[in-house]
Amino acid sequence: MAEPSNIPHIEVSDLTIGYGDYVVQRDLSFVVNKGDIFVIMGGNGCGKTTLMRALIGLQRPLQGSVRYSGEDFWGASDEDRQRMKRRLGVLFQSGALWSSLTLADNVALPIAQYTDLTQTRIDEIVSFKLALVGLAGFEDFYPSELSGGMKKRASLARAMALDPDILVIDEPSSGLDPITAKRLDELIVELRDSLGTTVMVVTHELASILSIGNNSVYLDAETHTMIPTGNPQDALKSGDPKVRHFLTRGAA
């Protein structure tokens, strides 16, 4: 059943994240609408990855809520939380591919685990997902045989294996040369446009932030809270001075 259009795809309310008594970020509240490419940005050590962990179920927040299409993720039962997790596709910064498995086996793993599809059907889906990211014909390759950009694309194919309606991507351009990073950014936009996927990108890379994001928040390491920034292009021109400084660092 389609969700009502007035319910945000993702809603974060009054979220505080940290470790024990140490607060990394507090009072985080933002909305991600369906089809957004929403950027969580900030410098090193500001809490971007900790927030991502709270969004995908790896770390319980100290307080506050995360809602997916109106459902309270951390307030749900373990069974319902597992169901909601299957709506999420996650691309970790390292790619996190299993080095001992071929690309086909890496992509097939979640499909085999969470569905009752036949092996023939799984193979068809795997080939389709790899073709979507430009890796048709690479089914039998191992991660060690790929370039950095190809590994990221293979990880993206695995993140999409279960047809998630939300993709969470941690530092997509990390370790890539500028041309490869640009192609990966273009691929993320293409997938959003063709599949209708909502995308959350955790990054500090300016090129990605300014080229693909249509909404964003800035996590401030000094005040341990967020600065709402909206469209990064608008924030670059007339946003908070601290955000403008972040978005123009390195400029001549």
Side-chain angles (χ1 to χ4, degrees):
M1 184 176 66
E3 65 191 56
S5 59
N6 61 332
I7 295 180
H9 213 179
I10 307 165
E11 184 175 13
V12 173
S13 301
D14 302 318
L15 202 72
T16 295
I17 52 175
Y19 304 90
D21 294 331
Y22 178 70
V23 172
V24 177
Q25 286 284 327
R26 63 170 65 87
D27 302 328
L28 304 181
S29 294
F30 56 85
V31 165
V32 182
N33 293 308
K34 187 171 179 61
D36 276 353
I37 296 182
F38 189 96
V39 177
I40 298 169
M41 60 179 169
N44 292 331
C46 70
K48 298 188 300 295
T49 297
T50 304
L51 174 56
M52 187 194 82
R53 289 171 59 84
L55 294 173
I56 64 175
L58 294 180
Q59 182 173 330
R60 183 176 286 274
L62 300 179
Q63 67 180 47
S65 66
V66 177
R67 294 182 180 274
Y68 290 107
S69 301
E71 288 190 86
D72 187 349
F73 182 77
W74 286 107
S77 65
D78 289 342
E79 181 180 355
D80 283 340
R81 192 155 55 246
Q82 289 301 319
R83 172 180 54 79
M84 282 187 270
K85 280 183 181 181
R86 289 196 286 275
R87 297 181 58 192
L88 309 175
V90 182
L91 195 164
F92 293 97
Q93 181 176 345
S94 63
L97 294 169
W98 293 95
S99 60
S100 60
L101 301 180
T102 64
L103 295 195
D105 289 338
N106 265 284
V107 178
L109 202 59
I111 305 173
Q113 182 175 359
Y114 292 111
T115 75
D116 296 321
L117 297 175
T118 65
Q119 187 59 52
T120 298
R121 182 58 181 143
I122 290 175
D123 292 343
E124 291 172 352
I125 294 172
V126 167
S127 293
F128 174 67
K129 299 297 182 183
L130 288 172
L132 273 181
V133 299
L135 290 176
F138 285 85
E139 286 84 351
D140 295 329
F141 280 63
Y142 286 87
S144 61
E145 299 173 310
L146 304 179
S147 67
M150 293 170 77
K151 288 178 185 176
K152 285 289 179 78
R153 284 188 279 144
S155 299
L156 187 56
R158 187 182 60 184
M160 299 190 309
L162 294 174
D163 294 324
D165 54 358
I166 298 170
L167 272 174
V168 182
I169 303 176
D170 186 18
E171 298 288 2
S173 304
S174 176
L176 302 181
D177 65 82
I179 294 176
T180 303
K182 185 175 185 294
R183 288 174 179 163
L184 186 61
D185 286 343
E186 291 170 348
L187 176 59
I188 291 169
V189 175
E190 287 174 13
L191 292 173
R192 188 277 308 270
D193 292 345
S194 61
L195 302 177
T197 309
T198 299
V199 183
M200 294 188 72
V201 179
V202 177
T203 187
H204 67 278
E205 298 287 346
L206 297 184
S208 293
I209 292 169
L210 294 171
S211 65
I212 68 175
N214 70 293
N215 202 356
S216 63
V217 293
Y218 174 83
L219 302 187
D220 185 16
E222 294 179 349
T223 61
H224 297 280
T225 193
M226 60 172 269
I227 299 173
T229 50
N231 189 303
Q233 290 285 353
D234 295 335
L236 180 64
K237 302 170 187 173
S238 58
D240 182 282
K242 188 175 289 188
V243 178
R244 290 207 314 272
H245 178 75
F246 174 80
L247 291 173
T248 56
R249 70 191 193 278

